[in-house]
């Protein structure tokens, strides 16, 4: 999935496939992310920081099928790469 990340939290519209056990995240700019259910929302202060250009692997737990992002400063693009 490709998402445009800005100062308002955005989440993946479609849930990740049930077979997905691991996701890789990468962004073109500094942002924060959160993994969870359909209501997950990234917090600009408390959510984990995603450095631009750095790939981060995140194992999924039960019912974690969505990813939310919020930009740290300038808008950027974030990618969610599903792994089986």
């Amino acid at each position: 999935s490709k998402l445009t990340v800005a100062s308002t939290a955005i989440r993946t519209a479609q849930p990740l496939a049930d077979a997905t056990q691991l996701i890789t995240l990468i962004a073109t700019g500094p942002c924060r992310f959160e993994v969870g259910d359909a209501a997950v929302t990234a917090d600009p202060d408390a959510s984990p920081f995603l450095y631009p250009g750095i790939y981060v692997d995140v194992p999924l737990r039960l019912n974690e099928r969505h990813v939310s992002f919020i930009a740290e400063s300038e808008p950027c693009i974030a990618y969610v790469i599903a792994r089986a």
Side-chain angles (χ1 to χ4, degrees):
S1 297
K2 176 181 174 182
L3 297 126
T4 301
V5 182
S7 59
T8 301
I10 186 170
R11 85 177 56 86
T12 50
Q14 298 297 317
L16 295 161
D18 288 342
T20 304
Q21 298 178 9
L22 179 78
I23 56 173
T24 300
L25 306 176
I26 189 167
T28 61
C31 61
R32 293 185 179 267
F33 71 94
E34 204 68 55
V35 179
D37 61 17
V40 68
T41 303
D43 183 284
D45 299 316
S47 292
F49 188 79
L50 184 60
Y51 288 91
I54 303 294
Y55 289 89
V56 174
D57 289 334
V58 180
L60 298 180
R61 294 178 293 209
L62 187 63
N63 297 323
E64 290 184 334
R65 294 288 166 231
H66 290 271
V67 184
S68 176
F69 295 93
I70 190 164
E72 189 73 8
S73 54
E74 297 297 314
C76 64
I77 303 295
Y79 298 89
V80 178
I81 304 160
R83 312 272 185 197

